[in-house]
Amino acid sequence: MKKRFSKLIPLILSFILVLGIGSSTPVYGARSVFKWINISKIEITAYTLNVRTGPGTQFPVIGQVKRGQIIDVIGALDGWYVVHLPDNSVGVLSSTYTRAYRYHNPPKQETPAPTPTPTPTPTPPTEEKPPTDTSLGDLTADEREMFNLINQARKAQGLAPYTIDMDVVRVARIKAKDMVENKYFSHESPTYGSPFNMLKQFGISYRAAGENIAGNRSVQAAHDALMNSSGHRANILNSQYDRVGIGIVPDPRYGKVFVQMFIKK
């Protein structure tokens, strides 16, 4: 019988699929690169195998799977599989104790997963010219919610709130859209390069800059995951930055892709 976990892990990869970097402080985990692979399902070969929140034994254990279980694979991180478990949670497990599942010989207990509802294709943001109105009314509902959550976290630490910078919002939206269209999850864009180079390409000058990216189904879950990671939390609560731009674009892989760009003018 399959073991059910006591709680769901916020999708998608609340602790795994978030990366953060800054121009002055290195961020833990920024070198891990999420990769798409041809394997869509695996069979567990170990008697029991720990499921963790990240690609390594230093990450917390969030559950276990058993020999013979068939698990959906989302992708790979440094030799570990990112998996979607039967209870609808997401985690990471070692690829050493698994083998590719052969579709012609499924185990009797395996129940086909329901077909997911396709995510509507989002209307791409306008890129012809930068916004001129710096009011919050120019943000989407998701972007406004994330901006408020960031400033609430800063207020709780006695820090000055960030000012929304619509020129930086424009760049963050383009970066999020680029990740969706080119199906990657990294600070280094194949189209624009690093976030620092990207800001300069779009004419934004700064004295310091940083970036957080995340994939998740909701704004609150993405914010919680970022705040629970020391590197991303450091960017959000950095007293050196004074402006932020937020871009959020729907993505069929994670639900939504989130980009936070921080700068000091």
Side-chain angles (χ1 to χ4, degrees), residues 2-9 11 62-63 69 71 84-90:
K2 299 179 182 177
K3 181 177 179 180
R4 298 187 63 84
F5 301 138
S6 60
K7 61 185 291 188
L8 297 180
I9 308 302
L11 288 175
I62 58 174
Q69 274 193 257
I71 306 296
H84 187 188
L85 299 169
D87 66 355
N88 208 31
S89 63
V90 173

Side-chain angles (χ1 to χ4, degrees), residues 21-99:
I21 60 172
S23 59
S24 57
T25 304
V27 174
Y28 178 79
R31 295 183 179 178
S32 296
V33 178
F34 177 81
K35 297 180 179 178
W36 298 106
I37 57 176
N38 292 327
I39 298 174
S40 61
K41 290 180 181 290
I42 55 173
E43 181 179 355
I44 305 303
T45 58
Y47 182 73
T48 59
L49 182 60
N50 288 332
V51 180
R52 299 177 181 273
T53 61
T57 56
Q58 73 273 22
F59 287 88
V61 175
I62 58 174
Q64 287 186 332
V65 291
K66 293 184 177 181
R67 178 182 297 169
Q69 274 193 257
I70 307 303
I71 306 296
D72 291 326
V73 176
I74 299 172
L77 278 170
D78 298 340
W80 292 61
Y81 286 141
V82 180
V83 295
H84 187 188
L85 299 169
D87 66 355
N88 208 31
S89 63
V90 173
V92 175
L93 53 78
S94 172
S95 62
T96 304
Y97 305 103
T98 68
R99 63 188 172 199

Side-chain angles (χ1 to χ4, degrees), residues 119 122 176 179-181 183-184 249-257:
T119 301
M179 282 199 290
V180 172
E181 291 182 343
K183 296 181 174 62
Y184 72 94
V249 175
D251 187 317
R253 298 170 298 173
Y254 318 124
K256 298 173 185 178
V257 164

Side-chain angles (χ1 to χ4, degrees), residues 111-236:
T111 302
T115 303
T117 302
T119 301
T121 302
T123 302
T126 303
E127 300 178 9
E128 285 76 10
K129 59 181 180 179
T132 56
D133 186 357
T134 58
S135 70
L136 295 186
D138 287 330
L139 298 180
T140 66
D142 282 347
E143 291 165 352
R144 188 161 52 249
E145 180 183 355
M146 176 159 276
F147 176 68
N148 289 333
L149 287 171
I150 288 173
N151 275 343
Q152 287 171 16
R154 290 178 66 82
K155 181 179 180 181
Q157 298 298 316
L159 298 169
Y162 281 130
T163 299
I164 199 72
D165 188 312
M166 291 306 297
D167 287 339
V168 181
V169 168
R170 176 195 176 210
V171 179
R173 287 171 176 169
I174 294 171
K175 175 65 177 289
K177 180 172 177 283
D178 185 54
M179 282 199 290
V180 172
E181 291 182 343
N182 291 297
K183 296 181 174 62
Y184 72 94
F185 188 87
S186 173
H187 293 294
E188 193 73 19
S189 163
T191 309
Y192 303 102
S194 74
F196 313 116
N197 289 337
M198 188 175 181
L199 286 166
K200 292 178 181 177
Q201 288 176 41
F202 284 89
I204 297 174
S205 59
Y206 58 87
R207 286 184 283 173
E211 179 185 75
N212 285 346
I213 61 177
N216 214 300
R217 288 187 174 181
S218 74
V219 174
Q220 184 67 60
H223 175 75
D224 291 344
L226 291 167
M227 288 297 292
N228 284 326
S229 171
S230 59
H232 314 103
R233 178 185 176 91
N235 274 344
I236 291 171

Side-chain angles (χ1 to χ4, degrees), residues 10-27:
L11 288 175
I12 182 110
L13 305 185
S14 291
F15 293 98
I16 304 163
L17 292 185
V18 289
L19 296 174
I21 60 172
S23 59
S24 57
T25 304
V27 174

